[in-house]
Amino acid sequence: MSVRTRIAPSPTGDPHVGTAYVALVNYLFAKKHGGQFLLRIEDTDRARSTPESERAILEALEWLGLSWDEGPDVGGPHGPYRQSERLPFYTRYAGELLAAGHAFKCFCTPERLEAVRVEQRQASRPPGYDGHCLTVSPAEAAALEAAGVSHVVRLKVPREGSVTIDDMLRGPIVFEWSTVDMQVLVKSDGWPTYHLANVVDDHLMGITHVMRGEEWISSAPKHALLYEYFGWPMPKLCHLPLLRNADKSKLSKRKNPTGILFYRRMGYLPEALLNFLALLAVPPIDGEEVMDLPTMVGAFGVEHISLGGPVFDTTKLDWLNGRYLREKLDDAAFEARVREWALRDGYLERILPLARSRIERLSDLGQLLAHFFSGRLDVDPEKLREGKLDNETLRRAFVIAGALFDALPEWTVPSIEASIRRVAEITGAKLRDVVRPFYVAITGSAQSVPLFDSMQILGRDLVRERLRIALERLGGATSKEQEAWKKGL
RNA sequence: GGCCCUAUCGUCUAGUGGCCUAGGACGCCGCCCUCUCACGGCGGUAACACGGGUUCGACUCCCGUUGGGGCUACCA
């Protein structure tokens, strides 16, 4: 049977470099063994999934050059490849589980579940569902449903004994069943959770090797149980170490730019970023760290992946990117790349209208638009303080704005404007006074092209990064301050 | 708190019992090249978390401690 791997991102935000890393490993493994690599969109969270995010994910992976053999855009023999289009499968298999007595309907309220959790925690017992609805008879269940009481479907988990998970990198991992929760498989809205959808789809799509982030280790027993209940062969499992912040915590956008597209906006070449990620899984041949995709496929081996979570430190990426720029491109190719970077998707057409009324000579454009062609800005803290806000209010404003921006479902000019107006409200300052330091932080100057449009065009990631730098220049904010300032947002 | 994963220079790593007085790369420092700056060349700085075992011999195997991380949702 041929090797089949997949990357299964959830379209709930900006495509993450961690996704790129996991995708790369899955890609390399599949290609190394002459198999297929698929892309599946896991959008069973109907509230948070967005089409924009899905589009961005495809664009980001395409940009990196990781092409998939089957996926929502290219189709394939095991489609559809978008979970929101596969509901009948999940309903059917959940029904099978229910009929066989491997799952049960649960009518508990969130309040009751929360109370159980609190109690378990206090008693130092493993948290999890207490089995309350296990004893509900079919007749009772039918009555409750008829009365319109909403329910979920939970997985029945043995209360005794243990299970051994075999990880390709870590060997056997033993779990006591008593520590495994009776997970929800079908939510009250009728949609499956990750656990059910993932197992059903991996089986139906013929996935042979599941390579995913380390964060999934603790749910592996539930998945193993599902495969057993269904009588399906279990794919090989391989849990990859998580990319980390400098402080070793799981890579997060609060501490680091994490968006793949941010790195494109910053002017990294896709092959350099890919190469940088590959260094975590492919040993350099004869000490040469610059590798193209085919070379990576040849040299790749899961046994080369170090289990210690690597810090995503882009210093080396800078060096690698420099080498690609000066060694791998001739003058014509370099020029083409610059053009592509600077002018893609009608970039000029979007920014020129902002500048037109503000210039007298075309040569004024250079200064006025420089920040659209820059990455991080070296802002002068004195310029940030020139307005009417004191240092504390400034820092508060940046922190609050950052939190509001992160919470926006859509990155549009009106939503950005609303956020900034909100900051003015909260800090009790005039909008014009609040806006000024943002001009400095984002565009580098208090006299510039319109702020909200600039932010929208630059993208959320780069805006977050420039705000982060500005905040740092003002002395930063302790986590306590941040917590206090964000309270009640 | 509970369960699980993990531990070599600041960072990414090589190392699978003797080849290790631990190798490479990035960063940093110094020197050279040079109209500046880069690039490039040369050199330097710097690590096996700790404690027990196993063994003739442990960076490598086992146990413990400590540190780090993940999970602990009707999110994935």
Side-chain angles (χ1 to χ4, degrees), chain A residues 147 225 407:
Chain A
L225 194 58

Side-chain angles (χ1 to χ4, degrees), chain A residues 282-326:
Chain A
V282 182
I285 301 164
D286 295 325
E288 179 49 85
E289 296 187 298
V290 173
M291 294 176 282
D292 60 15
L293 202 49
T295 308
M296 292 174 204
V297 172
F300 173 80
V302 280
E303 69 277 10
H304 295 299
I305 297 173
S306 297
L307 263 16
V311 172
F312 191 74
D313 179 358
T314 54
T315 323
K316 195 163 188 168
L317 171 60
D318 290 335
W319 167 79
L320 256 182
N321 201 57
R323 280 196 61 183
Y324 272 91
L325 253 20
R326 71 183 92 93

Side-chain angles (χ1 to χ4, degrees), chain A residues 53-116:
Chain A
S53 175
E54 180 184 315
R55 230 175 293 128
I57 288 169
L58 267 64
E59 188 181 339
L61 293 177
E62 241 161 50
W63 176 67
L64 283 169
L66 296 173
S67 50
W68 43 94
D69 300 294
E70 298 168 30
D73 54 340
V74 296
H78 304 278
Y81 294 89
R82 197 177 281 118
Q83 291 189 327
S84 57
E85 294 166 11
R86 299 175 63 80
L87 189 55
F89 290 113
Y90 313 128
T91 307
R92 174 183 152 201
Y93 286 108
E96 272 187 25
L97 249 19
L98 241 18
H102 293 315
F104 61 97
K105 291 178 180 172
C106 169
F107 298 87
C108 292
T109 62
E111 293 73 33
R112 200 190 87 77
L113 297 173
E114 185 51 34
V116 170

